Amino acid sequence: MTSGIVLPTLKSININLTVEQEAQLSHIAALAGKGADELAREVFLRGLNAEATLIAEKVRNSNGKDAVARILELRQGNMLPEGVTLQDLIREGRA
């Protein structure tokens, strides 16, 4: 899925690490055969992707809740045919 949003590109970003964190980063990078900067960039991007996924899931869940609330509102006082559930109507709406 593509987005119409254009974000400015960051040329660099500074992250303040404690001495212990920097040592841990260097150690893990050495184990992985990478530079500390490369590993930090990869870890940052994985975290960024995970955060984007989490936010997208929250938005999607929110939209689903809104849809159910709207269906309940529209259906207020109406009777469903026997054997038909709200889930059936939701599934039919998604098809």
Side-chain angles (χ1 to χ4, degrees):
M1 179 161 107
T2 60
S3 172
I5 300 172
V6 177
L7 298 175
T9 302
L10 292 175
K11 297 291 181 190
S12 66
I13 187 168
N14 293 319
I15 300 173
N16 297 319
L17 301 174
T18 65
V19 173
E20 293 81 13
Q21 291 167 331
E22 210 169 313
Q24 182 182 18
L25 177 62
S26 294
H27 177 70
I28 294 170
L31 291 174
K34 300 177 180 185
D37 286 348
E38 181 184 3
L39 179 63
R41 188 172 19 264
E42 289 175 5
V43 169
F44 172 78
L45 291 174
R46 276 196 304 269
L48 186 61
N49 288 333
E51 186 67 17
T53 300
L54 179 65
I55 290 169
E57 184 68 27
K58 285 180 182 177
V59 168
R60 190 177 67 184
N61 285 343
S62 173
N63 291 341
K65 290 176 186 172
D66 292 344
V68 169
R70 181 69 177 138
I71 289 170
L72 289 172
E73 178 184 336
L74 290 171
R75 200 193 139 236
Q76 204 164 20
N78 295 332
M79 299 299 292
L80 289 174
E82 190 171 329
V84 177
T85 68
L86 278 179
Q87 284 292 0
D88 296 332
L89 295 176
I90 292 169
R91 279 190 216 101
E92 183 179 324
R94 290 182 181 162

